[in-house]
Amino acid sequence: MLTKFAVTNYRGFKERIELDLSDPNGYEYNSFAIKNGVVKDLMIYGPNGAGKSNLGFALFDIVSHLTTKNKQPQLYSNFSYAGNGLPVSFEYTFVFDGKELFYEYSKTIGGILLTEKLTNDGTLLFDRQAEHIQVNESLFSLQQSVKDNLLRQANNVSIVSYLVNVFPMSKDNPLVLMSEFVDNMLWFRCLQDRGYIGFEVGTTNLEEYIIEHGLLDDFGKFVLSVSGQQFTFAKPQRGEKVIFCLIDGRRIALSSIESTGTSSLTLLYYWLSKLSEASFVFIDEFDAFYHYELAFAVCKRLFAQSCQVILTTHNTSLMTNDLLRPDCYYLIDGKQVKPLNKCTSKELRLGHNLEKLYRGDGFVL
């Protein structure tokens, strides 16, 4: 699991900003949101421009150089703070089988990997800086010529990727566990534009996917259960790639009658069908087109997944102990990101109205 993440000099973040998931408060309710002492499910709130989206973009930068999964290369066009030309630094702390894996690296303004360092429970595995490279020889015996090539390489390969691909390793090796975790990370959103990072490669026609996998009935049940909308879908004809509804006996394309919110649900349904394989999911402005009751129902579905889930939202009706708990609601202001329980001296309890406190400026970063 991911326990901490920090980034410095990235887009709107001039100074170092850290997301710490390793210190839940110990509330006895909604314990599903905590897994092995780490926050598993959380929501991030903040005013427009506070950095909710940028935090997600930064967190998923690791996908760009450790995997071949889907990327958003346009993010490197505005990479460092105010285009200052200084390196951007990333820090990730993972826990696998009770051991802490710390990975830090930096990139140039164009997104080129500059330095990287990896430690496992305090033991150095490798350290690549601008002018030298150090590798734990007891674990990875590399000739000096190989080290020189890694230091001066032109193809920007991460040393993590090199070691995983070159050295035979067991399934429980920390490098393998980290690589698999990153390989199964997913970021997506459905606003004016749709996009995703990680987990897969390429694009998919959502309606075609539902039809080809025989999921039409299940999709209808999903939409009904979370939104109360009931559609009667026509049986797909041979080779058909579009979902049709039956209205007064006529076949009408779903895309021609669905609302923006229902269209968003189609995308959500697609990813939900795959989340059993995911390790970490970040959904930006997940409820942009949802009614508040629908947003609540979707949260329930997402938090029932085994993977870590981060959602960003402006919907304060979701800030309730009926859904999560104070140590799972985080606030961000562009400089800090902290859970509610660390933004007040008040002892927060189950009966407190978190939304009312938040709207009344009861929490201060």
Side-chain angles (χ1 to χ4, degrees):
M1 297 182 71
L2 179 74
T3 61
K4 292 182 183 179
F5 169 73
V7 65
T8 305
N9 194 48
Y10 180 78
R11 294 169 73 88
F13 302 131
K14 181 179 182 180
E15 307 296 337
R16 182 179 182 274
I17 185 169
E18 179 183 79
L19 174 67
D20 187 353
L21 309 178
S22 67
D23 190 27
N25 187 266
Y27 299 104
E28 295 183 356
Y29 54 94
N30 293 336
S31 58
F32 66 85
I34 309 299
K35 185 176 181 180
N36 299 326
V38 179
V39 177
K40 171 186 165 290
D41 303 310
L42 63 142
M43 304 181 74
I44 300 178
Y45 287 83
N48 296 103
K52 298 185 296 297
S53 296
N54 278 343
L55 184 67
F57 292 146
L59 209 160
F60 274 72
D61 185 86
I62 193 172
V63 171
S64 68
H65 68 271
L66 289 189
T67 81
T68 59
K69 300 299 177 68
N70 205 63
K71 304 172 177 62
Q72 297 285 337
Q74 69 272 19
L75 294 175
Y76 291 110
S77 63
N78 181 26
F79 190 58
S80 63
Y81 176 80
N84 59 20
L86 299 175
V88 180
S89 301
F90 301 85
E91 305 167 37
Y92 298 80
T93 305
F94 302 95
V95 170
F96 301 116
D97 296 331
K99 294 183 178 180
E100 185 176 276
L101 196 68
F102 180 66
Y103 180 46
E104 58 179 322
Y105 64 87
S106 65
K107 288 185 174 182
T108 65
I109 190 171
I112 304 300
L113 199 59
L114 182 63
T115 66
E116 56 179 336
K117 181 180 179 180
L118 184 66
T119 59
N120 183 38
D121 258 8
T123 299
L124 179 69
L125 300 186
F126 69 81
D127 182 7
R128 171 195 171 191
Q129 299 301 316
E131 300 298 331
H132 76 274
I133 182 170
Q134 180 182 357
V135 178
N136 190 320
E137 295 294 339
S138 64
L139 299 175
F140 309 105
S141 181
L142 298 179
Q143 296 181 353
Q144 188 60 45
S145 60
V146 175
K147 294 180 184 179
D148 292 342
N149 287 335
L150 285 171
L151 187 62
R152 299 177 176 83
Q153 61 178 304
N155 54 354
N156 196 34
V157 173
S158 165
I159 294 179
V160 173
S161 298
Y162 175 81
L163 294 176
V164 168
N165 289 319
V166 170
F167 284 84
M169 296 182 184
S170 62
K171 292 182 178 180
D172 60 353
N173 186 286
L175 271 76
V176 173
L177 294 175
M178 185 179 78
S179 296
E180 290 180 346
F181 185 94
V182 175
D183 208 44
N184 289 301
M185 290 173 62
L186 169 67
W187 170 100
F188 73 93
R189 67 180 175 189
C190 183
L191 299 175
Q192 292 92 339
D193 64 310
R194 292 183 175 183
Y196 78 98
I197 300 173
F199 201 70
E200 289 189 348
V201 178
T203 59
T204 300
N205 181 307
L206 303 182
E207 294 188 12
E208 181 180 356
Y209 172 86
I210 291 171
I211 292 171
E212 289 187 349
H213 287 79
L215 298 172
L216 202 54
D217 289 341
D218 188 64
F219 173 59
K221 293 176 183 177
F222 166 75
V223 174
L224 176 62
S225 66
V226 297
S227 71
Q229 298 176 91
Q230 186 166 11
F231 294 97
T232 301
F233 296 124
K235 183 178 180 180
Q237 299 177 359
R238 182 182 296 273
E240 205 161 59
K241 301 179 180 181
V242 175
I243 295 176
F244 284 91
C245 302
L246 289 176
I247 300 178
D248 292 337
R250 298 182 60 199
R251 288 166 52 91
I252 307 293
L254 174 64
S255 59
S256 68
I257 61 171
E258 66 182 355
S259 66
T260 306
T262 304
S263 175
S264 180
L265 280 177
T266 306
L267 179 65
L268 176 65
Y269 176 80
Y270 170 77
W271 287 121
L272 278 174
S273 72
K274 295 173 172 287
L275 289 194
S276 61
E277 306 167 21
S279 58
F280 185 97
V281 177
F282 190 108
I283 310 179
D284 194 22
E285 301 287 4
F286 86 102
D287 59 339
F289 304 112
Y290 294 165
H291 182 270
Y292 72 92
E293 291 181 343
L294 171 57
F296 192 94
V298 167
C299 283
K300 287 288 190 180
R301 288 277 185 138
L302 290 168
F303 297 155
Q305 305 296 318
S306 61
C307 58
Q308 283 181 281
V309 175
I310 296 181
L311 308 176
T312 72
T313 182
H314 291 285
N315 186 348
T316 59
S317 72
L318 298 174
M319 190 182 284
T320 168
N321 287 320
D322 291 334
L323 184 61
L324 288 174
R325 34 192 263 180
D327 52 355
C328 295
Y329 293 108
Y330 282 65
L331 305 183
I332 187 171
D333 65 358
K335 296 180 180 179
Q336 301 180 80
V337 54
K338 292 182 179 180
L340 295 183
N341 62 294
K342 294 187 177 181
C343 296
T344 179
S345 59
K346 184 188 292 289
E347 182 183 351
L348 299 175
R349 303 186 182 187
L350 179 61
H352 277 116
N353 187 320
L354 301 180
E355 179 185 19
K356 185 177 180 180
L357 288 171
Y358 176 65
R359 286 177 170 267
D361 297 326
F363 302 109
V364 179
L365 275 169

